[in-house]
Every structure is written in structure tokens, then in C-alpha cells.
Amino acid sequence: MRREPIELAAVATAAVPGLSPTAVSSAPDDPADFDSALLLDAEGKRWRVRSPRHAEASTRLETEFLVLRAFAPAIRAELPFLMPTVAGTVRQQNLTTFVYSHLHGATRTVEELTSGPQELAKEIGTALAAIHDLPRTLVSNADLPSYTPNEFRQRRLNELDMAATTGKIPALLLRRWEHAMEDVSLWRFNPCVVHGDLHEDNLLVEENRVTAVTGWTDLRIGDPADDLAWLVASNEHEFVDAVVKHYRAKRRDSPDNHLLRRAALSAEFALAQYLVKGIAAADSEMIAEAEGMLSTLADDIAEYGGQPISVEPLPPAKPGSPPTGQAAASPGLVDAPAATDVSEAMPAVHVTPIPPAVTPPAVEVTPIPADEVRAGKDADQPAGRPAGPDASSEPDSPGSSGEADAAQGEDEAPAPKPSGADTSTVALTVVEAKTP
């Protein structure tokens, strides 16, 4: 059941004692997993609320909390962007809602980003390089997933098998993807720290500067190409080339020559992953949308040939051969050697544009009556956690007052100076609360 922004505001008052919202608006997010809202409080501060819609999404948010705690102040200080800090949490049944301190900047669409100037391309490339150059101990110490190239490739093959069993993937795509995943030479890369869920909604931008990166629910050690898939899917080749140029210049470890090929494969295969997710959730709209996009992609590749996503050319299909997709790992694949020389220019990789999975809903701003805010403090309070200042009695729990104080302190120190017009909440209108 979807939660309206005004309901999320009431929940937030239970998560952050003393918070008195005066205005609320919806926020860009993945509506299949989260309900989100932006709040403005009586002191003029802004907050973001993310409420999971199911248990798996709640687990992702709890993982993100552990990730954010692993980013010590010294590590954050080295990054060219800010990161979220958790101000408080509320657990209701088996789901945990998180409230984050505000970060400057606003999300932009892919079209807005890729039509931006070279300065913005440089900012995105620099941000990507900073993420991929993070110390690997950050992931291992937090007990997060870590994959060698062979393990990551095998994981993709397993996902392909699962997608094939649905019977809804065009045979042309199954054969194309299986060939790329079995092309051993494509998967020789140096694993690094990967954001894992990087796309336009997780980048905050202000005056052509990347001010913050959010959505740290899937941090892992794996293939850096995954963090470029959303850009490659845009088909804005000049902008992508500019981003990759600055990315390569900033990386301490040189990226491999096939980075963009795997990014293109990841962008295409994301449609199959979206289909499987829709089937698992029994969401007929997701399934229909995924089938439509898969069919469009297959038609485009059949007509235009598609761009190369593997090193070895795809051989012609044998007459009467069964559809592929029940893939098996090629024997003998070993871990990748050190990064290859990238003095040779990376080949341009282009893919068919993929429509966004979900169109963000129109933002609506709703004033919050004061009596509803007061009611929310008591109605949504989790068992064992008082609504008042004594909520800090659990020192190790996410959202304790100690964490909230640390969150506020970290936001104030390195925060970039906002421009004259705060673009972070262009859709947020301040509305005075009605007196009862």
C-alpha cells in the first residue's frame, strides 16, 4: 500500500524527536520499492524520508545504514561530493523507515544531464572515479558482497538462466547475451568498489556540480562497468565519451579496454532483471512494461544489428538450433590479471535507448496541519522507543540521538556552499501549518 507524503511526514516526527514539518512534497525514487518525501521543518531545515514497501527494500535501507556508518569522516573528507547521514529511524512491523538530513542539490533527468556542458561531464567522471578508487577494506570490513571477475560473470549467467525460464525473453536477446557472457576476454577487469545502484536519481547537482551521491544500498566489490550502464543507455555518445575521458584521467587504476562493452551489456540485461523482478512481485504492470521494452530492443537489434557487447563477433545462428539461455560457465576462466594498457582508445559503444522503468509522479506540495503532526508522533511510534528526547537511550540503534548529532555535524562541516537559488527543492513550496 502506497504511503502519501503527508503520512510519511507524520512518521518522520516519530523518527526524529522535535521535528515539526510545515511542508511536504513527493521525492524522486523507485516507487516499486520505496515511498519517499521531502520535508521542510519550522526552522527552515529540509529532510528526506524513505519508507520501504516490502521486506527486501527494508533490508536494503538497513544495509545502506551500515554502509554510511562505514564511511568514516576521514574517508568522506576525501570525496568530491557529500553523502547522506541518517537522522532517525522508525520500525513498523517488519519495515524500517529512514529519515536523512538534507543535502544540497537537485536530481535531474538523464536528458538534462547529458545535454549539460563539459563541466558537468567532468564532475560525473570525477565522482565515478572517486567511488571506484575507494579502499576495498570499506566493503570487506562491512561484510558486503565481493566478486572476482569469474564470480561476477557466473552470477550474470545464473541470472540469464533465471530470465530464460520465464519464457518471455526474445530468443535473439538470449543468444546475444549468452555469447557475451561466455566471451572470456570480455571479463578481464580489475574489481573495485562499486556503487551498484548509480543512476540519475542518485546524483544531486547544483550549478553543474555534483554536490552529493545518494542511494548506497548496493555497495560491493565488482565490475565498475555497472556504474556506467545508465549513461551508456542514454545514447548520448559525446557526453558519455567526455565522462569516460575524465573518469580515466582521475582513476588511480587504469580501466580496462572493454569497460563500455560490459556497460552496454549491463544496460540491455537490466530489462531482463526488471522482468524477473516484476514476475517475483506478481506485478502485471511491471511485467507488461518489461515485455514491451524487451520486444522493442530485440526489434531494433534485428533491424540495425545492434552495437557490439562482446569482443568476439556473434556467429550466425545455426538453422534449427534451439533458443539459447540455459547457459553454462566456460571452464578454465581465471581471475583477471592486472589492468591492461588503455593507451589505445576505447571503442565507442552505443545501445538502443531504453525508456525509464517508471515515470516519476508529478510533485505535489501539501501543507501539514499541526494537529496531524502531533498525532503522528504517537501513532507511528515503534514499540520500546519513546517519542520524546529519551529516544536516545539505545546507543547502538540506527537513528539514536548520537547518530543524529553526528549526522548533523558531518553535514555542516563539508557542505558545499549553495548558490543564490537553492535548487535542491525546486518543487517544494513552504506552507505555514494551520493552527487547530
Side-chain angles (χ1 to χ4, degrees):
M1 181 178 178
R2 184 176 184 274
R3 283 186 162 185
E4 297 298 329
I6 196 166
E7 183 181 356
L8 294 177
V11 174
T13 62
V16 183
L19 176 60
S20 299
T22 58
V24 60
S25 73
S26 58
D29 214 323
D30 181 358
D33 294 327
F34 305 104
D35 294 316
S36 298
L38 294 175
L39 307 181
L40 182 74
D41 68 13
E43 298 178 358
K45 295 180 180 179
R46 294 177 173 87
W47 312 78
R48 187 182 185 190
V49 186
R50 298 187 83 192
S51 183
R53 304 196 71 179
H54 49 79
E56 188 270 337
S58 183
T59 300
R60 288 176 61 194
L61 289 183
E62 290 166 3
T63 299
E64 181 184 39
F65 174 76
L66 297 177
V67 170
L68 295 177
R69 283 189 18 169
F71 278 85
I75 296 178
R76 293 186 181 225
E78 294 295 323
L79 295 173
F81 51 79
L82 294 179
M83 296 183 59
T85 49
V86 177
T89 68
V90 166
R91 188 167 183 85
Q92 298 168 293
Q93 298 179 353
N94 63 333
L95 305 178
T96 304
T97 296
F98 281 71
V99 180
Y100 302 84
S101 300
H102 170 70
L103 294 170
H104 291 288
T107 58
R108 298 184 185 177
T109 64
V110 173
E111 293 75 18
E112 290 172 332
L113 290 173
T114 55
S115 62
Q118 286 289 310
E119 180 184 0
L120 184 54
K122 179 179 180 180
E123 285 279 312
I124 295 175
T126 300
L128 281 166
I131 294 171
H132 294 171
D133 281 338
L134 284 166
R136 293 174 53 139
T137 53
L138 185 72
V139 172
S140 57
N141 291 344
D143 199 24
L144 295 172
S146 177
Y147 302 100
T148 66
N150 188 34
E151 290 170 341
F152 187 81
R153 170 181 165 276
Q154 184 60 56
R155 185 168 180 254
R156 280 285 188 262
L157 282 166
N158 293 341
E159 291 176 330
L160 179 63
D161 284 346
M162 183 179 297
T165 61
T166 67
K168 297 179 180 294
I169 308 292
L172 180 151
L173 296 180
L174 287 175
R175 182 170 177 270
R176 171 179 170 85
W177 295 339
E178 181 181 41
H179 175 75
M181 293 176 191
E182 291 188 338
D183 187 350
V184 175
S185 58
L186 182 68
W187 301 92
R188 298 192 182 280
F189 62 88
N190 278 339
C192 64
V193 176
V194 177
H195 181 280
D197 191 30
L198 198 62
H199 51 77
E200 65 276 14
D201 287 343
N202 286 332
L203 290 179
L204 299 185
V205 178
E206 185 176 63
E207 292 187 344
N208 295 323
R209 292 183 56 249
V210 175
T211 56
V213 178
T214 62
W216 298 83
T217 58
D218 296 305
L219 191 74
R220 59 179 178 262
I221 294 174
D223 186 359
D226 280 0
D227 283 347
L228 282 86
W230 65 284
L231 272 176
V232 173
S234 71
N235 267 352
E236 295 295 336
H237 315 309
E238 291 185 6
F239 189 86
V240 173
D241 290 344
V243 169
V244 173
K245 173 185 175 182
H246 294 294
Y247 168 77
R248 293 174 60 190
K250 292 291 184 179
R251 279 295 310 270
R252 286 196 295 268
D253 293 332
S254 297
D256 65 281
N257 284 335
H258 305 310
L259 178 74
L260 291 182
R261 291 177 185 265
R262 294 195 310 278
L265 171 62
S266 182
E268 289 185 10
F269 192 61
L271 296 182
Q273 294 170 315
Y274 186 65
L275 172 67
V276 171
K277 185 176 182 179
I279 293 175
D283 189 322
S284 58
E285 291 186 5
M286 284 180 65
I287 296 171
E289 184 178 25
E291 287 187 278
M293 291 189 291
L294 285 164
S295 177
T296 299
L297 177 61
D299 290 343
D300 287 343
I301 291 174
E303 182 174 358
Y304 302 110
Q307 294 299 321
I309 59 172
S310 57
V311 180
E312 295 295 329
L314 179 65
K318 296 179 181 179
S321 60
T324 58
Q326 302 303 312
S330 296
L333 183 64
V334 297
D335 290 350
T340 56
D341 182 12
V342 293
S343 57
E344 177 181 322
M346 291 183 185
V349 178
H350 311 302
V351 298
T352 303
I354 300 175
V358 180
T359 301
V363 175
E364 297 180 358
V365 178
T366 309
I368 305 175
D371 53 349
E372 291 191 28
V373 171
R374 287 195 297 269
K377 290 178 179 289
D378 299 324
D380 293 301
Q381 195 55 221
R385 182 179 297 213
D390 291 337
S392 61
S393 59
E394 299 175 25
D396 294 329
S397 64
S400 66
S401 61
E403 288 288 337
D405 292 341
Q408 293 174 357
E410 288 174 16
D411 275 355
E412 293 172 3
K417 187 175 181 180
S419 63
D422 185 0
T423 62
S424 60
T425 51
V426 289
L428 185 65
T429 304
V430 179
V431 182
E432 293 186 0
K434 298 178 183 178
T435 32

